[in-house]
Amino acid sequence: MINDKILILDFGSQYTQLIARVIRELNVYCEIQPCTRAVPENDPSLRGIILSGSPFSVNDEKAPKPNIAEIAKVAPVLGVCYGAQLLAQQAGGEVGKSTHREYGRAHLQNVVHDTLLSTIATGSQVWMSHSDTIKKLPEGFTPLASTESIPVAAYKTNASFAPNPVYGIQFHPEVTHSTDGRQLIKNFIIDICGCKADWTPAAFIQESVQKIKTQVGNGKVVMALSGGVDSTVAAMIINKAIGENLYCIFVDNGLLRKGEYDQVLDGYKHLGLNVKGVDAKTRFYTELAGVSDPEQKRKIIGRLFIDVFHEEAVALKDVNFLGQGTIYPDVIESMSVHGPSATIKSHHNVGGLPEIMHLSLVEPLRSLFKDEVRRVGREMGIDDIFIGRHPFPGPGLGIRILGAVDAQKVALLQEADAIYIQHLRDSGWYNKIWQAGAILLPVQSVGVMGDERTYEYTCALRAVTSVDGMTADWVHIPYDILAKISNDIINRVRGINRVVYDISSKPPATIEWE
């Protein structure tokens, strides 16, 4: 089955991924590619093209400027902000600096109910974010809407420009501030491009399984599991395709959460995965002894993981493929509007292994965003202990223990973290939070417990809301819940006598402390 596809040409906008998310939520498949890469001319699945916004001005000498008229010969086009301005400029219109920078809410006026705006009411709120504006449309182009500050908020080209419908809008329909933006995008992809809304989790699973069967055949796949949603869902799809020919390895680096190794290993076995657990705690603790530098700790943990996994993998016979839980943000992260990326980022768990082991990659999730991975996992009936699990860093508690790591500090943090997470679950806050965890600080302070003086460690609690981890805000957990968490940690974890709550957002802080 070939799904209809929308192609987004990325000119560097911070909102490009939001466009893709909206389209996919409408059950239509889309891909993002740098604007400098040629648009495929003979792709039968390609039904429409969207030109993103950009930090550039179309009048900048180094601004990316592909030929829009040639692109519009392939499929219908929608230019958003920069895309609309570039389209107008190339067709003979005038684009220049606005008399004042247009950023924020505006309202559509003089709406022409062409197909693109057929369901958009006059007065509809839209979100502007540009310093240039279209001062004069090319001859024969039709204005479709204005706002109180700009004469051309939306327009349509004429038939002489391109054989396909071509539109431009100077606002961002993909952001939530544009109240009818989702409907506008739907009008474009369904009514103008004629896409069928059939890209569902069930269809994705069926298509992925068939692709893996074709790719792998009777071959064998080895895969590292982390307990996280990406590797788990990827493994289940591969398992559905090839069964016992998938060999999974789950490494205990001694830096997992309390009881997580046994819990996750048991969960995998209940899912029917062919999985081997490897206890490598002592090996990790030995090499981390006395190491305080965060980057050095990360490198040691990453290198050791690869070493352990490689040793286990090469012991298997006739393995031809390496499974990875690579997702779409990993793929597009290295793309640049200045040109196609030479190297796609390796998965953090198994970086370098395809080259070391001379294996071909099997990456069933490389076209999905994180929220889509979760929807696919739920469609497959995977337990919520995997699907609903908060993101957890690859180096684990190794970067949540500030300073040198040892078994005693790991045990302290595991206890404190377990208490914290259990309180979040019991109070109903766990599922409202994108990521939460406890951090052990290299700070000791005086405390009093009973008649005894204590001199013990400080624990920091971190909880953030986010969509993809690029930005994050701290969570306003009620004081009474924080008080119970603090009280329980101090009373039950001997070695910690002070608890603080991190109220830093990203940026300027990061989610993890190291």
Side-chain angles (χ1 to χ4, degrees):
M1 175 182 175
I2 299 177
N3 295 103
D4 291 339
K5 177 171 68 180
I6 296 293
L7 181 64
I8 302 172
L9 296 188
D10 182 20
F11 289 85
S13 170
Q14 61 180 319
Y15 299 133
T16 300
Q17 289 191 36
L18 289 181
I19 302 175
R21 286 177 180 276
V22 171
I23 295 171
R24 289 177 174 205
E25 285 169 2
L26 293 167
N27 294 330
V28 174
Y29 180 64
C30 73
E31 291 181 355
I32 299 170
Q33 75 172 42
C35 62
T36 49
R37 188 180 298 170
V39 172
E41 296 182 10
N42 299 309
D43 183 349
S45 67
L46 182 57
R47 303 302 296 263
I49 299 165
I50 294 179
L51 316 175
S52 82
S54 176
F56 291 100
S57 163
V58 295
N59 294 313
D60 290 345
E61 187 178 329
K62 294 184 179 180
K65 296 182 179 180
N67 189 318
I68 308 303
E70 289 299 312
I71 291 171
K73 291 178 181 178
V74 178
V77 171
L78 173 63
V80 176
C81 200
Y82 176 92
Q85 293 163 2
L86 180 63
L87 167 59
Q89 185 188 65
Q90 289 188 352
E94 181 184 348
V95 178
K97 291 292 180 186
S98 305
T99 53
H100 63 280
R101 188 169 185 265
E102 291 152 345
Y103 182 85
R105 293 172 178 84
H107 296 86
L108 295 181
Q109 299 174 354
N110 305 309
V111 177
V112 177
H113 290 107
D114 184 272
T115 309
L116 184 70
L117 303 178
S118 61
T119 52
I120 311 300
T122 295
S124 178
Q125 178 180 286
V126 295
W127 185 259
M128 298 285 185
S129 181
H130 56 93
S131 56
D132 287 347
T133 193
I134 298 171
K135 298 197 169 186
K136 180 183 177 183
L137 274 177
E139 186 176 347
F141 282 26
T142 304
L144 300 179
S146 61
T147 69
E148 55 269 30
S149 58
I150 61 173
V152 182
Y155 67 87
K156 182 180 181 180
T157 69
N158 55 15
S160 64
F161 179 78
N164 293 301
V166 179
Y167 293 86
I169 54 176
Q170 287 204 92
F171 54 89
H172 288 275
E174 66 273 20
V175 302
T176 56
H177 303 298
S178 292
T179 51
D180 295 312
R182 181 186 177 96
Q183 183 62 49
L184 184 150
I185 293 173
K186 183 178 181 181
N187 291 346
F188 177 71
I189 64 174
I190 302 297
D191 297 335
I192 294 171
C193 299
C195 291
K196 297 183 292 294
D198 57 3
W199 196 68
T200 63
F204 173 82
I205 294 165
Q206 182 180 5
E207 182 180 345
S208 299
V209 167
Q210 190 55 52
K211 283 182 178 177
I212 293 168
K213 285 181 177 179
T214 302
Q215 178 188 5
V216 175
N218 294 321
K220 295 179 181 178
V221 178
V222 64
M223 183 171 184
L225 298 180
S226 68
V229 60
D230 298 338
S231 66
T232 301
V233 174
M236 286 297 289
I237 292 175
I238 298 172
N239 183 65
K240 190 175 178 67
I242 64 171
E244 288 294 307
N245 276 351
L246 169 65
Y247 296 84
C248 300
I249 297 169
F250 180 46
V251 177
D252 183 3
N253 59 10
L255 305 168
L256 303 173
R257 283 178 157 146
K258 182 182 178 182
E260 190 169 38
Y261 177 67
D262 293 329
Q263 179 193 41
V264 170
L265 200 57
D266 184 63
Y268 280 144
K269 288 176 179 175
H270 278 89
L271 288 174
L273 291 176
N274 178 17
V275 59
K276 178 182 180 181
V278 181
D279 183 349
K281 292 192 294 290
T282 302
R283 191 166 169 180
F284 279 82
Y285 293 156
T286 299
E287 292 224 22
L288 287 169
V291 179
S292 298
D293 179 73
E295 189 58 28
Q296 192 177 353
K297 285 194 292 184
R298 284 179 176 272
K299 287 179 178 178
I300 290 171
I301 295 166
R303 174 179 54 78
L304 274 179
F305 185 93
I306 290 175
D307 289 347
V308 173
F309 179 81
H310 184 237
E311 290 165 10
E312 295 293 330
V314 295
L316 300 170
K317 293 183 179 179
D318 302 321
V319 172
N320 317 100
F321 299 89
L322 176 68
Q324 289 194 158
T326 309
I327 63 175
Y328 203 41
D330 298 331
V331 175
I332 62 178
E333 186 177 82
S334 58
M335 289 184 180
S336 166
V337 299
H338 296 291
S341 169
T343 305
I344 296 299
K345 167 182 150 182
S346 298
H347 191 277
H348 67 83
N349 277 342
V350 286
L353 278 173
E355 294 78 14
I356 295 171
M357 301 177 67
H358 305 292
L359 300 177
S360 299
L361 288 176
V362 180
E363 299 174 302
L365 306 181
R366 63 180 287 112
S367 66
L368 300 187
F369 290 103
K370 176 75 78 172
D371 52 334
E372 294 170 330
V373 175
R374 287 196 167 95
R375 288 202 293 273
V376 167
R378 290 191 174 97
E379 179 71 25
M380 299 186 77
I382 299 174
D383 194 280
D384 202 57
I385 65 165
F386 296 111
I387 302 304
R389 185 175 183 257
H390 286 180
F392 191 62
L397 299 182
I399 58 167
R400 291 185 179 176
I401 296 171
L402 273 58
V405 176
D406 58 41
Q408 182 182 6
K409 289 178 182 176
V410 170
L412 276 180
L413 185 55
Q414 284 177 331
E415 291 295 333
D417 183 79
I419 292 168
Y420 179 29
I421 298 300
Q422 191 58 52
H423 270 283
L424 293 179
R425 292 188 185 279
D426 293 344
S427 62
W429 275 86
Y430 186 84
N431 290 330
K432 301 176 185 178
I433 294 168
W434 191 75
Q435 183 171 336
I439 299 98
L440 189 68
L441 307 185
V443 175
Q444 290 176 281
S445 63
V446 174
V448 177
M449 300 187 76
D451 292 327
E452 294 183 19
R453 174 186 181 275
T454 62
Y455 190 62
E456 297 177 338
Y457 286 104
T458 300
C459 173
L461 306 179
R462 184 75 160 134
V464 298
T465 55
S466 182
V467 173
D468 52 17
M470 300 302 292
T471 61
D473 197 10
W474 63 278
V475 179
H476 294 246
I477 298 174
Y479 291 149
D480 60 331
I481 296 175
L482 287 174
K484 290 176 183 176
I485 296 168
S486 173
N487 188 63
D488 260 9
I489 290 174
I490 291 170
N491 284 336
R492 293 166 54 187
V493 184
R494 185 175 293 275
I496 295 175
N497 68 356
R498 194 174 299 271
V499 174
V500 297
Y501 188 56
D502 183 350
I503 59 169
S504 309
S505 296
K506 177 187 179 182
T510 53
I511 296 175
E512 298 293 344
W513 281 42
E514 286 192 342

